[in-house]
Amino acid sequence: MRMSRETMFMRIAGIVSERSTCSRLKVGAVLVKDSRIIATGYNGAPKGLPHCDEVGCEIENGACIRTSHAEANVIAFAARNGISTEGSTLYSTHMPCYACSKLIVNAGIKLVIYGTAYRLKTGAELLDKCGVPAKLYLPEPMKVPPRMHDDEL
């Protein structure tokens, strides 16, 4: 009844998204290499600046521009700490936008697995053009252990 690694990493991305400070959309990302988490990130304002949950979102063209995206933050964390992203897999609660997809390609990430499609498909299209597969995560069916009979208790 063991869950798959993909399910585990997607659930962890969901938990990481709960740290997000953007009240409009909470996104979490987990960067994995050799089946181990190497970095996590969520969307929020750059260090030292006010967060959306403190002063509200700053909306431009239908998107909040106050926050750095989870994908950008996970890549920045890895870079700042000398962690190689080459050949890693990115698990994200949402499909990366175009700008984050450019970072993903240049960071050498080999696969993106996301939970929710983004309103614009340009990020996924860019990843495809650059040979980085982007796959929608489909949750595995709930695994329910067999019921024990009263005489087995």
Side-chain angles (χ1 to χ4, degrees), residues 6-124:
E6 186 174 275
T7 294
M8 178 180 72
F9 294 133
M10 285 302 294
R11 286 185 184 176
I12 292 170
I15 291 167
V16 170
S17 75
E18 294 176 27
R19 288 280 305 153
S20 170
T21 58
C22 183
S23 49
R24 185 176 168 275
L25 183 64
K26 296 186 177 299
V27 180
V30 176
L31 202 53
V32 174
K33 192 170 186 177
D34 299 324
S35 298
R36 299 285 182 233
I37 295 172
I38 59 172
T40 62
Y42 52 88
N43 56 326
K47 191 183 281 188
L49 295 180
H51 292 282
C52 296
D53 59 5
E54 299 168 340
V55 295
C57 292
E58 189 175 341
I59 304 298
E60 193 173 284
N61 296 324
C64 180
I65 61 167
R66 181 178 307 286
T67 64
S68 294
H69 290 185
E71 302 90 340
N73 280 333
V74 75
I75 292 168
F77 176 86
R80 196 171 56 247
N81 289 282
I83 301 168
S84 173
T85 57
E86 186 71 37
S88 62
T89 299
L90 177 72
Y91 293 85
S92 181
T93 58
H94 292 72
M95 177 191 297
C97 70
Y98 190 80
C100 288
S101 292
K102 291 189 289 185
L103 294 173
I104 289 165
V105 169
N106 286 345
I109 294 169
K110 68 174 181 178
L111 174 64
V112 174
I113 299 173
Y114 62 91
T116 303
Y118 184 58
R119 60 186 165 83
L120 303 173
K121 306 285 186 239
T122 55

Side-chain angles (χ1 to χ4, degrees), residues 127-149:
L127 291 171
D128 184 54
K129 283 181 191 174
C130 295
V132 178
K135 177 180 136 185
L136 175 65
Y137 168 71
L138 298 171
E140 50 190 49
M142 187 81 128
K143 295 177 182 175
V144 179
R147 183 168 177 214
M148 295 179 75
H149 297 291

